[in-house]
Every structure is written in C-alpha cells, then in structure tokens.
Amino acid sequence: MKILFYVSKKYSLPIIAPIVKYLEHSEHSFTFFVSKKVRDENISDISNYKLLQNIEETKIFSPDVVIVPGNFVDYRIPGIKVQIFHGLGVEKTSHYKIRHFFDIYCTSGPFVTEKYKKLQKRMKYFLIKETGWPKVDHILNYPTKDLQEKHHVPKDKKVILFAPTHSRKMQSAESLLPFIPNIIKEDEIWFLKFHELMNKEIRESVNDTDNIRVITDYDITPYLHLADILITDTSSVAYEFMTLNKPVITFNTQSRKNKGIDITQPLELREAIDRSLSDPSEFHQNRVHHIAEINPRIDGKICENLISTLESVILNNELKNKKKPLNLFRKLQILHHEQFKKGYLR
C-alpha cells in the first residue's frame, strides 16, 4: 500500500508521527505533501524524508491512500482520502462538519462514531471506521526519561500547564491570563501553550519569568507528561491529558463539565488548583468514563489498527460504487488558497 501524508499545520506532525514510525517497519511505502509554511520551518521530524513539492509529483507517486490530520485535502491528488482529524475536539460542532473531501472518516471512539454514523445514513457515500486517534499512541509511548532535566524543571516544583483553545467564542486566555501571575506560588512552574491560530496579540502578551514559561515547541506532548495539572477550556487537549489520568481544570467548558473542576470565574482558579493538587484522584472515575467514550483504545496500537483497517478497505473494495458529491465550491476554495495564499486550508 502506498500512503501519502497531507500536512498543512505543524501541530499535525505529532498526530502522524506514530503512524510514520509504524510504517517504517512495514512493507508499505509512504511520503509527504507538506504546506510551504511547514516546509519553510525545516522541522527535523520530516527533514530526513523526501517531501513532494506539487500536485504533479503526487500523481507520479500515485498513492493508494491519502491520510489527512486536518479538515481539507486537495481533490486533485489521487487515492482514497482518509480524515484522521486534528484533535479530539468532540465538543465542537466543527468536528462533525462534512466538507465532502473524504472517503473514510477514522473516528476516535464510540461517541464520535455514533454522530458520524447518523451523518452517513443521510449522505451514504463515505465509510466510518472507528480506529482510535493516532496521536494517543504518540502520547502514551512518549519517552519520559530525564524529561524534567531536559526542560529544566526542578524536582521540587509542581508543574501547571495552561493550554487554551484558539476559538474566540470558547477561549479562556483573555479571561485568565491577567490573573495567572498573581496566583502563582513559589513552588510552581507554569507552562503556557498557545495554539498557533490564536490571536497574535494574546500570544505576544506574555513573557517568560522565573515561574512562567511560554512553550514555542509545536508538540505539546512532553509538557503533558511534565504537568501535574492542565488548565484549559473547550480545547481537545483536555482529552489528550486525560489519557494520562491526571486532573483537568476547565474554564466555562461547553460540555462534559464533570471531566474535572469546571470554573466560571477567574477568581475561582487558585482554589481549583489547590484542590486538584491535594487530591489528584478526585475525578479519576469521570476521566475513565470520558476516555471510554471518546478514545477507549489506549493500548499504544492505534496506528497498527488504522493501517490494517485501510488495508482491509482496499482488499475488500469497500468503496465500490461510492462517489463523492461534485463539491464545486470547496474545490474552488482549494484552488484559490493555492493561488493567492500559497498554502493549504486547515
């Protein structure tokens, strides 16, 4: 099987990393079609691979499958288009938006699968395969030896991670950032991870101090392992963190408010932190319940399952007689973005 990874954002790289690692020890061939913005970063994770430069090169490679950790894919590329999603954003309506680019949606767990099957009954042309979300393999198998030393975190410090979503309607950064410097205790180090799509003014409003460090890495995974507590809002990073069974504090989250302590006012934050640190196991059963619905496969073998599922689809010709809609408006979007913005859509 020939596989093409279609990558438009840096934060997609940790999603496909465990798939690539699995494929390196398989009989399958693979390559990458990466946005110019990501290529220009010269990221070491992909610098050793040949990156296809244009649509013509993808046609020469002629993939059987195009794996996409995002919402869009160029329709001109040959092969079965597979959506693996760019997050566990199960609380956001955009997570369930059908844009008519994909032949297969690989869902993370039964909660998402059920919603997509309802959409499938109406549209019929695509397949739903519950495989688990590949980045969970990356999180669970991440090397944690000497992690504190690598990131210069003293062993006697508690680590608080603040990772808000970028959505203007759902983000907590504007509300919480003014309060954070005033509530930090001496025995704490705070890591702040801003989404690359977040408002630039918000991202640049915070500077490093003795107790605050702004994460510039595109991969949040090591900080998930370092952190004792995660503070977020409706970001899907909450579920990434919960796979490690550690406490989450949310600010005005949109749903599943009992995944941890949900606060509605910034002044409640310090008390919620102290409560979580004093009893990290308080919401253990809630975390187990939510992960069972959203991404129950935590055996570190999601990527193996994903690839064998795609092999089976091809072997059994499961997409026979299924045809995507014309989707003319979306196709024009792709062409416009390529011509005038020199990159890919999200």
Side-chain angles (χ1 to χ4, degrees), residues 85-96 108 111-112 133 234-237 239-240 294:
F85 301 95
H86 57 75
L88 293 169
V90 299
E91 300 173 18
K92 301 176 181 178
T93 55
S94 60
H95 198 73
Y96 308 100
S108 58
F111 179 80
V112 180
W133 190 47
T234 309
S235 172
S236 67
V237 73
Y239 300 106
E240 296 182 38
I294 291 166

Side-chain angles (χ1 to χ4, degrees), residues 38 49 55 68 92 94-95 103 114 122-123 143 154 173 178 199 202-203 216 239 253 258 271 285 290 297 311 333 337:
V38 176
Y49 298 101
I55 297 298
V68 187
K92 301 176 181 178
S94 60
H95 198 73
D103 304 288
E114 183 180 350
R122 179 159 51 90
M123 302 182 194
N199 181 290
I202 295 176
R203 285 188 282 130
T216 56
Y239 300 106
T253 194
N258 69 342
E271 182 180 349
Q285 288 301 327
H290 291 305
R297 185 181 282 269
E311 284 180 302
Q333 273 189 301
H337 205 81

Side-chain angles (χ1 to χ4, degrees), residues 234-300:
T234 309
S235 172
S236 67
V237 73
Y239 300 106
E240 296 182 38
F241 195 67
M242 286 162 63
T243 63
L244 301 175
N245 194 19
K246 295 194 282 188
V248 174
I249 297 169
T250 54
F251 179 78
N252 286 324
T253 194
Q254 300 295 302
S255 65
R256 296 179 177 264
K257 293 179 182 292
N258 69 342
K259 53 182 171 277
I261 300 172
D262 184 57
I263 62 173
T264 59
Q265 300 295 327
L267 290 173
E268 299 172 318
L269 182 56
R270 184 67 249 179
E271 182 180 349
I273 293 168
D274 293 339
R275 176 177 162 186
S276 296
L277 289 174
S278 66
D279 185 8
S281 65
E282 180 180 1
F283 290 90
H284 164 74
Q285 288 301 327
N286 296 40
R287 294 192 289 267
V288 170
H289 169 74
H290 291 305
I291 291 300
E293 289 192 334
I294 291 166
N295 195 103
R297 185 181 282 269
I298 51 173
D299 58 359

Side-chain angles (χ1 to χ4, degrees), residues 42-90:
N42 294 316
I43 296 170
S44 60
D45 288 354
I46 55 173
S47 61
N48 294 328
Y49 298 101
K50 175 178 170 55
L51 307 181
L52 304 186
Q53 302 291 315
N54 53 54
I55 297 298
E56 290 307 312
E57 288 188 3
T58 69
K59 291 178 179 178
I60 293 170
F61 179 67
S62 189
D64 299 299
V65 170
V66 183
I67 293 179
V68 187
N71 297 329
F72 294 84
V73 62
D74 198 311
Y75 66 94
R76 296 169 295 176
I77 298 173
I80 295 168
K81 312 301 190 301
V82 181
Q83 158 77 288
I84 61 170
F85 301 95
H86 57 75
L88 293 169
V90 299

